[in-house]
Amino acid sequence: MGHLEEYRAKRKASKTPEPMGGPAHQRPHLFVVQKHRATSLHYDLRLEWKGVLLSWAVPKGPHRDVAVKRLAMQTEDHPVEYADFEGVIPKGNYGAGEVIVWDQGSWVPLKDPDRGLEEGKLLFELKGHKLRGRWTWFRTKRDDDTGQWLFVKEKDGWAANENDWAETSVFSGLSVEELKTGSDRAETLRAAIGETDAPKKDVDAAAVKPMLAQTSERVFSRPGWLYELKYDGFRLLADKRGADVRLFYRSGRDATALYPEIVRSVAHLPYESLLLDGEMVVLDEEARPDFQQLQKRAHLQNAAEIAVATVERPVVLYVFDLLAAEGFDLRGLPLSERKSLVERVVPAAGTLRYASHIEERGEEFYDQVREMGLEGVLAKKSDSLYRPGRSDSWLKLKVDRTGDFVIVGFTPPKGSRAGLGALHLAAYDGGELAYAGRVGTGFREQQLDELRQRLDPLEIESAPCGGAVPKTRGHHWVRPELCCEVRFKERTADGMLRHPSFLRVRDDKQPEECIAPDARGADRDAPTPVIEDNRHGVFEPSNLNKVFWPEEGYTKGDLLEFYREIGPYVLPYLRDRPVVLTRYPDGINGKSFFQKDAPSWVPDWVRTERIWSEQTQREIDYFLCDDVESLVFLANLGTIPFHVWSSRVTDLAHPDWCILDLDPKDAPFSDVVKVARGIRKLCEEIEFPSYVKTSGSTGLHVLLPLNGQCTYEQSRSLGELMARAVEARLPKIATTARSMDKREGRVYIDFVQNGHGRLLAAPFSVRPRPGATVSAPLRWSEVNAKLSPARFTMKTVPDRMRRLDEDPLLGVLEDRPDLVAILGRLSELV
């Protein structure tokens, strides 16, 4: 067992399209069932074990009835790549006939497989698109090596008296008969489209801007509308051109290499060209979207890890729209017509799934979704055309709302409950802390005790908030210092929360950030947005005359005007990139705080992305800044500098640049210039493009373009090689020593910032320093003895960019250097 000699001896690679096996990435615990019309019609069930597919022929196929036993004859081991084989084995070859991938997924041994194979009994669980639950195989003659087994369903929730599986491929949707006679599905699809008004036109998938839904708080039922589930996943476009398939995130970033199971499925569809729009999810054991697992999947860095994940954490694409097919542009067709075409092309089961809908009965559907604990509903006009951006023809209706609240008190526990009974909550409304009710559910027992220990030292005599505060005895009030996140259905007219449930303590939040949901009063840090049209959020900025830089007299209004004016230059570095704010609500001499997690009151038109944090072991809703309106909105929160990741949300594992941060501390700035030019010289010698900007503080940042070609770990190693090479050339003024006492007045070349989640002050970011200096892109010719970072300020940089006419740093986002050749030349020098 575990060898492929018998398999290869029966086949000739030159005469059959079947794979012969090779050094492909392994997919542990993969299983596949292939429906095969050879001499007779049968099913081949294969289990990956120790690098090969153990194979059995099951003449009548599996059955869900526990009383039905199916004969299974063990055959030769197959290569793992065979699990994706679908096609026709030509006449004259072993097993000649048609083969489809009838089912595929993972198997979980419930007993030791090696011992089971030896003793003649296997017990395992299947997790496929069709086959689910526990199954048993056992040899009919224990002491006889005839290879004859029986295949039986175990009693569990997946057992049933009848089979209800579609007898078609989970890849192509084709039947064995269609493979034999030739499928006319493409011709039928073209004929159906030809009866519409769709024009013959090529659609460039990379240039498509997806249609997006606006948020609606009102559930409704209405003729002319259809209602879909709102899936908790990533938006994905799948573009098929012949055998070539490309995947794109909503931003347009290519995701093809990350999800090979989707690529395989789309490639097998029997059409020449398709452009599918859908939501990609990872499903948990109850077939619910698991966003945390999806994010872990999206973070994988190499092909071998991804291959394993296609079995352990497979993704599913729920297809809800078809934008182009067979050379036709379908975006001008009504949604109802497009969805009928989607239903034609998506298989009945598999990695691609049709996102079904109901018509008119939105309230009833919403209630069902709420009872099931799913995220929400999408309401779409049946006659809506596909248009880029947000539209009131598509509305999203979330089942639950969440918000951040200040803990202002608690009630004592009753009965056997420990710690406390409920938390009293409040939130800021118009600058005043207003009571919002209490929350007594959603806690773990350990949390109740931990919260009580933290709240007891904060106890005060009376409630620290206004509003409808309970007046009866038995309430404990505390100083408003701790925050928590709560899920709730809605907020009543008097500001109370309906059906709240505790989610978590928010130690990363300041109490001032807990703004009352739907608060009408103006607040210095959270202006109330006023939506004026369907495309952008327009809001009223607050406290524009507040002085942020006392010595210069610069105001918050000056800061907002700078970011509005410089927006077209800074947005290429912010767009699709997690952004961390540093907020100074009272200016540079007041208190400040970092903010990673976006609060619940942020308007829908300000984009956020939920990202799993390994450091904190929780999800963080990072801001993304895609347009000038969002940039000014975030600045209006008192944000002075914007810090960004080196990678984008569509490919968090692969940075766009390598950072060499030149930190002078006690060294003269003239030495910073010399070290920067030393890096530039080294880059020229190894033909590595390099770019430079002021840090906005006392140093310089040299950025080396990577274009997503390597991981963070590789970027850090590259940065270290470069830094040590420059240190060796300029030992008197440059050092890589992190310890201050070892720097000895030399410029520190910091390469450690090249790490997952590490931050860079974004180009054109204002710094909270006297003079309102800016992190300004430079031309290398400006890096000389006359260079002074103090010249680049909030007042001078806009005029400078108008004079330059072109951003000298922009190439760091566009260049795609040959890193292999560069490393080769660097190794020769060092």
Side-chain angles (χ1 to χ4, degrees):
M1 190 179 64
H3 299 286
L4 299 176
E5 288 83 355
E6 183 180 355
Y7 171 88
R8 291 174 179 140
K10 293 179 176 181
R11 296 162 177 85
K12 291 185 178 181
S14 60
K15 294 186 177 181
T16 177
E18 298 166 281
M20 293 295 114
H25 295 300
Q26 295 303 306
R27 295 148 70 185
H29 286 184
L30 172 72
F31 93 84
V32 65
V33 178
Q34 283 154 316
K35 193 173 182 180
H36 184 185
R37 184 186 295 278
T39 305
S40 61
L41 182 66
H42 65 279
Y43 297 76
D44 292 311
L45 196 152
R46 314 186 197 282
L47 307 177
E48 188 283 332
W49 186 242
K50 296 185 177 180
V52 296
L53 295 176
L54 309 181
S55 298
W56 287 261
V58 185
K60 294 185 178 182
H63 202 289
R64 295 176 66 182
D65 192 334
V66 298
V68 176
K69 297 180 175 62
R70 294 299 205 200
L71 179 66
M73 301 298 297
Q74 189 166 10
T75 63
E76 74 276 11
D77 298 343
H78 283 52
V80 173
E81 304 95 295
Y82 206 96
D84 300 326
F85 174 67
E86 179 167 308
V88 179
I89 303 172
K91 290 183 179 180
N93 289 274
Y94 177 77
E98 299 77 36
V99 178
I100 63 169
V101 178
W102 185 85
D103 195 17
Q104 195 178 93
S106 64
W107 70 288
V108 180
L110 301 179
K111 291 186 178 180
D112 178 21
D114 285 330
R115 184 174 178 180
L117 288 165
E118 181 180 348
E119 295 180 352
K121 185 175 182 179
L122 290 171
L123 178 63
F124 51 86
E125 180 182 1
L126 294 180
K127 299 179 179 180
H129 300 296
K130 299 177 183 178
L131 300 185
R132 306 285 293 182
R134 299 190 307 274
W135 301 75
T136 298
W137 283 12
F138 53 89
R139 270 200 295 265
T140 57
K141 296 181 179 180
R142 188 168 182 175
D143 298 323
D144 188 1
D145 192 22
T146 62
Q148 182 170 295
W149 296 64
L150 290 178
F151 183 33
V152 184
K153 181 73 186 74
E154 292 288 315
K155 189 174 182 178
D156 59 17
W158 298 99
N161 293 332
E162 299 293 335
N163 292 336
D164 56 0
W165 304 307
E167 290 299 323
T168 52
S169 165
V170 294
F171 280 1
S172 65
L174 297 175
S175 66
V176 171
E177 290 73 19
E178 286 178 292
L179 278 187
K180 181 178 182 180
T181 61
S183 169
D184 62 352
R185 294 198 182 195
E187 183 179 342
T188 303
L189 180 63
R190 286 192 291 271
I193 297 173
E195 295 177 359
T196 70
D197 296 328
K200 268 279 190 180
K201 179 184 175 183
D202 183 62
V203 178
D204 181 6
V208 167
K209 302 298 182 185
M211 188 168 178
L212 306 172
Q214 288 190 30
T215 297
S216 174
E217 300 296 338
R218 185 172 58 89
V219 181
F220 60 93
S221 298
R222 190 174 302 161
W225 287 74
L226 55 84
Y227 301 87
E228 300 170 345
L229 276 178
K230 184 180 185 299
Y231 299 98
D232 193 9
F234 291 158
R235 189 76 171 271
L236 202 71
L237 294 177
D239 184 37
K240 172 180 169 61
R241 305 291 180 98
D244 183 39
V245 174
R246 296 177 68 195
L247 307 179
F248 297 93
Y249 286 121
R250 187 175 78 176
S251 64
R253 189 97 184 240
D254 194 294
T256 308
L258 302 179
Y259 309 106
E261 63 268 55
I262 294 180
V263 173
R264 283 193 290 266
S265 295
V266 175
H268 276 88
L269 294 176
Y271 307 98
E272 184 61 29
S273 68
L274 296 169
L275 180 52
L276 306 170
D277 189 358
E279 192 83 357
M280 178 178 62
V281 300
V282 170
L283 300 175
D284 65 14
E285 293 298 320
E286 297 179 348
R288 297 169 183 264
D290 188 330
F291 191 78
Q292 179 178 322
Q293 291 298 321
L294 177 61
Q295 284 202 308
K296 289 180 178 179
R297 171 67 191 274
H299 290 171
L300 297 179
Q301 299 184 12
N302 62 62
E305 291 176 336
I306 291 171
V308 172
T310 61
V311 181
E312 295 181 348
R313 283 198 297 270
V315 293
V316 170
L317 181 65
Y318 282 96
V319 182
F320 51 72
D321 219 326
L322 183 61
L323 312 190
E326 301 299 278
F328 289 91
D329 183 353
L330 308 181
R331 292 174 294 177
L333 297 181
L335 174 63
S336 56
E337 291 188 30
R338 301 198 307 273
K339 289 211 68 172
S340 68
L341 296 173
V342 173
E343 198 167 9
R344 284 174 177 264
V345 304
V346 175
T351 299
L352 305 178
R353 304 188 183 184
Y354 174 62
S356 59
H357 64 271
I358 68 165
E359 298 179 0
E360 298 189 12
R361 296 178 296 167
E363 292 161 302
E364 182 181 340
F365 185 52
Y366 181 89
D367 289 341
Q368 292 177 347
V369 169
R370 180 175 56 194
E371 290 177 9
M372 294 170 65
L374 299 176
E375 185 179 1
V377 171
L378 283 167
K380 299 178 179 180
K381 281 187 176 180
S382 300
D383 62 357
S384 60
L385 311 184
Y386 196 94
R387 296 289 182 260
R390 299 203 181 275
S391 169
D392 58 4
S393 293
W394 288 15
L395 300 174
K396 54 185 175 183
L397 311 165
K398 291 189 175 181
V399 168
D400 287 319
R401 303 174 63 190
T402 62
D404 298 315
F405 295 87
V406 184
I407 300 173
V408 293
F410 61 93
T411 62
K414 294 182 179 180
S416 61
R417 188 162 184 167
L420 52 86
L423 294 175
H424 288 298
L425 306 175
Y428 281 92
D429 191 345
E432 300 293 331
L433 195 59
Y435 187 71
R438 69 182 77 178
V439 58
T441 62
F443 301 96
R444 298 191 303 273
E445 186 172 344
Q446 182 180 354
Q447 284 178 319
L448 294 170
D449 289 326
E450 291 174 350
L451 281 166
R452 183 63 183 266
Q453 291 174 18
R454 296 184 67 176
L455 292 173
D456 278 342
L458 304 178
E459 191 160 351
I460 55 179
E461 292 184 2
S462 60
C465 57
V469 177
K471 303 299 183 183
T472 55
R473 293 184 178 183
H475 302 284
H476 298 261
W477 303 104
V478 298
R479 293 195 301 274
E481 296 182 8
L482 293 180
C483 306
C484 66
E485 185 179 10
V486 172
R487 178 185 288 116
F488 61 98
K489 297 301 180 186
E490 62 180 2
R491 199 172 176 224
T492 62
D494 59 353
M496 299 298 104
L497 301 177
R498 287 194 61 200
H499 306 301
S501 177
F502 178 87
L503 291 178
R504 53 177 169 160
V505 173
R506 295 302 301 266
D507 286 321
D508 58 324
K509 292 283 184 180
Q510 300 291 324
E512 295 84 1
E513 296 180 75
C514 297
I515 309 301
D518 304 322
R520 295 289 181 254
D523 183 88
R524 67 180 185 181
D525 290 330
T528 303
V530 180
I531 307 301
E532 294 187 348
D533 57 48
N534 294 335
R535 293 183 63 249
H536 298 96
V538 182
F539 64 95
E540 297 176 0
S542 60
N543 299 319
L544 296 179
N545 294 323
K546 177 174 282 189
V547 176
F548 268 30
W549 281 267
E551 292 185 19
E552 295 79 10
Y554 297 160
T555 65
K556 180 181 178 183
D558 294 325
L559 176 69
L560 267 60
E561 178 59 23
F562 168 79
Y563 278 124
R564 186 196 65 77
E565 191 171 2
I566 208 69
Y569 293 99
V570 67
L571 285 174
Y573 304 99
L574 300 180
R575 193 173 286 121
D576 288 333
R577 213 175 291 279
V579 173
V580 176
L581 315 181
T582 310
R583 294 174 58 183
Y584 290 77
D586 295 311
I588 66 170
N589 293 333
K591 291 183 178 179
S592 65
F593 56 93
F594 279 97
Q595 183 168 6
K596 292 182 178 180
D597 217 344
S600 60
W601 46 258
V602 170
D604 185 64
W605 48 267
V606 177
R607 186 179 165 203
T608 61
E609 286 286 346
R610 187 162 292 176
I611 298 173
W612 175 256
S613 169
E614 293 293 342
Q615 181 179 2
T616 61
Q617 288 295 296
R618 67 178 182 85
E619 293 172 334
I620 294 177
D621 291 323
Y622 277 93
F623 289 104
L624 276 76
C625 196
D626 290 346
D627 50 40
V628 173
E629 288 82 5
S630 298
L631 177 64
V632 177
F633 177 87
L634 296 177
N636 188 59
L637 300 181
T639 304
I640 295 180
F642 290 80
H643 289 82
V644 295
W645 286 35
S646 296
S647 56
R648 306 172 195 252
V649 291
T650 48
D651 190 3
L652 286 173
H654 297 89
D656 290 319
W657 56 64
C658 174
I659 307 165
L660 295 177
D661 181 2
L662 307 186
D663 181 6
K665 285 296 186 280
D666 299 328
F669 186 73
S670 58
D671 284 354
V672 176
V673 170
K674 292 175 183 176
V675 174
R677 293 186 68 84
I679 296 173
R680 167 70 165 168
K681 183 179 180 181
L682 174 61
C683 287
E684 288 177 335
E685 292 174 15
I686 61 176
E687 300 177 30
F688 200 168
S690 61
Y691 299 87
V692 63
K693 70 181 182 73
T694 66
S695 67
S697 182
T698 58
L700 294 174
H701 293 154
V702 178
L703 301 182
L704 310 176
L706 302 176
N707 205 262
Q709 297 181 86
C710 61
T711 65
Y712 272 106
E713 184 176 352
Q714 292 165 335
S715 172
R716 176 169 170 162
S717 298
L718 172 62
E720 182 175 5
L721 283 173
M722 297 288 293
R724 295 197 184 281
V726 174
E727 178 186 32
R729 292 183 173 193
L730 302 171
K732 293 183 179 180
I733 62 171
T735 181
T736 57
R738 299 194 68 185
S739 174
M740 287 294 299
D741 57 0
K742 293 182 180 180
R743 295 187 191 178
E744 300 174 344
R746 293 174 291 176
V747 176
Y748 171 47
I749 308 176
D750 184 1
F751 56 84
V752 180
Q753 289 190 47
N754 298 292
H756 185 85
R758 295 294 185 97
L759 303 173
L760 173 74
F764 301 101
S765 253
V766 186
R767 305 309 295 268
R769 295 175 54 82
T773 52
V774 170
S775 179
L778 301 172
R779 294 175 296 190
W780 274 110
S781 61
E782 297 175 295
V783 183
N784 54 41
K786 297 180 181 180
L787 178 62
S788 171
R791 288 173 34 221
F792 305 98
T793 71
M794 195 167 70
K795 293 298 184 181
T796 64
V797 166
D799 286 337
R800 164 182 163 81
M801 296 311 298
R802 280 190 288 269
R803 289 195 309 271
L804 287 179
D805 192 43
E806 185 179 17
D807 177 5
L809 189 69
L810 198 58
V812 78
L813 298 176
E814 300 171 346
D815 290 346
R816 188 178 179 84
D818 186 342
L819 296 181
V820 174
I822 288 169
L823 284 170
R825 289 188 285 269
L826 179 60
S827 64
E828 292 176 1
L829 291 177
V830 299

